[in-house]
Every structure is written in structure tokens, then in C-alpha cells.
Amino acid sequence: MKYLKIIGLVFLMSFLSQCITYLKNDYPAYNPAKIDKKIANVDFILYFNHYNAINERSEVSYAVHQANKQVFTNIIAGCNCINKFTVYVDGLDDVSKIKSKNLVNIEVTTRVQPNVSLYLTATLFVLSGTMFPIFGEINGKTEFVAFNQGKEIKRYTYENDVIEVRQGLLLFVMPFRRLNYITNQNVPDNFVNDIYRDKLYPTE
């Protein structure tokens, strides 16, 4: 019991610090489709679940929901194969009232991997008063479930491993770092191109 309290304290302190994330493996490569007409009138609902190193589901903050909505909206909008779409986030928007004919659920699940590196650096992080960084590995699984008139028509699954570095002093470098994603940006890019190639939804 005491051990679990210590681990909980470590993660509380780590979330109060700043972090930088980067992909362990930059996979998959970007695979754009040859665009003729565009998909239209598709709604996306993002479900984001995060589990800590002891496999407990963590509370997702309002700010994280907002950031996720902005990121996925920007990525999908950047694809030349789609227009007239809306992104909703479970926990931020009321998704119970969405009755879209063309609907895609984006299910993102991240899990902190309980390994030696995490526990060792977390201990040093606490002992050094957040001066020593925590190095954690996070497995990110993203599933895109395409529906038409309430019926599932296809499911796409992608997985990535992300390295996360947390340290109090990273606060000073945050304005200079590039945007980081919990999943490879090519994952949602490729998915939108895949549903275009697979002709799941009508084009205009």
C-alpha cells in the first residue's frame, strides 16, 4: 500500500512538471491518395483514454481534450481529400445527440509502460526535486471505426510507441519546441486517405 502511494506521488509530481514527447519509431510513413473528388459530411468523435503505469485510468483534463480536438481538426483539415466535417470530443462535447449518417469514431488509448527505466528515473526525479528527468515509454493505440447509418463498415488500427520526458526545468524550453503528438501525425493523415481510397463515403 505504501509502495502504491509513493508511485502515485511520483506521477502527481510528474504531471505538474512539463514534458516533451517524441516517437520511438516514426511509423507509418505518409501515404497520400490520388485525389479526384472530396469526401463530405463526415462527423468524427474522439475518445481519449490514458492509463498510468499501474494500469489505472487517469482523468483527462479539459485542456487536454481541447488540445486533442484542435490537433485532430487541424490534421484532418490538412488532407486534400475531405471537406465539410466536424470533430467532437467525448468529455468535451455532448456526443449523445450526434446522429450522423457518416460517422467515424477515433479511439485513442495510451498506456504508460511499467519498465525499469521509468521506475529508476522516477525515483531520481523525486530525490532531485524534479531536476532529474523522468523517461517513460507510452504505447499509443489509435483505432478509426467507420460507420454508415449506425452500422460499422470498417476498422483501421495503428500503434505507436512514444517516449515521454518530464522535468520541471523543461518549462524554459517549452516555447521553443515543436508540436508533439501522442501518435504519429501520419496516422490520422493516412486514415483519412485510406477511407478515401476505400470509397467508404460518397464524394462530391
Side-chain angles (χ1 to χ4, degrees), residues 97-114:
K97 298 180 180 179
I98 300 173
K99 305 295 181 184
S100 175
K101 178 182 177 182
N102 301 319
L103 180 67
V104 176
N105 286 351
I106 306 172
E107 300 170 4
V108 180
T109 303
T110 61
R111 295 181 185 274
V112 177
Q113 303 302 300

Side-chain angles (χ1 to χ4, degrees), residues 4-115:
L4 292 179
K5 287 182 179 179
I6 293 172
I7 294 298
L9 177 61
V10 168
F11 281 98
L12 175 62
M13 292 180 67
S14 68
F15 280 113
L16 292 175
S17 64
Q18 300 297 319
C19 73
I20 292 176
T21 59
Y22 60 93
L23 292 163
K24 187 175 180 181
N25 298 300
D26 197 15
Y27 175 85
Y30 181 45
N31 185 25
K34 184 178 180 181
I35 308 301
D36 180 15
K37 297 179 180 180
K38 295 189 177 186
I39 303 168
N41 302 313
V42 179
D43 287 334
F44 297 85
I45 304 178
L46 175 64
Y47 297 87
F48 181 68
N49 298 297
H50 180 70
Y51 294 86
N52 61 27
I54 54 178
N55 205 35
E56 290 180 339
R57 185 175 175 180
S58 302
E59 189 72 25
V60 180
S61 70
Y62 182 81
V64 169
H65 282 318
Q66 281 190 311
N68 284 338
K69 182 172 185 174
Q70 188 63 54
V71 166
F72 276 89
T73 299
N74 290 345
I75 292 173
I76 295 169
C79 180
N80 293 324
C81 61
I82 190 169
N83 60 20
K84 297 179 184 177
F85 72 92
T86 306
V87 175
Y88 301 94
V89 176
D90 182 49
L92 183 66
D93 304 303
D94 184 2
V95 300
S96 64
K97 298 180 180 179
I98 300 173
K99 305 295 181 184
S100 175
K101 178 182 177 182
N102 301 319
L103 180 67
V104 176
N105 286 351
I106 306 172
E107 300 170 4
V108 180
T109 303
T110 61
R111 295 181 185 274
V112 177
Q113 303 302 300
N115 52 35

Side-chain angles (χ1 to χ4, degrees), residues 120-132:
L120 177 60
T121 57
T123 301
L124 294 173
F125 176 86
V126 174
L127 294 176
S128 65
T130 77
M131 296 294 288
F132 192 91

Side-chain angles (χ1 to χ4, degrees), residues 19-20 169-180:
C19 73
I20 292 176
L169 290 180
L170 286 177
L171 175 66
F172 300 110
V173 300
M174 291 289 281
F176 306 103
R177 69 182 180 88
R178 63 184 179 81
L179 277 177
N180 297 287

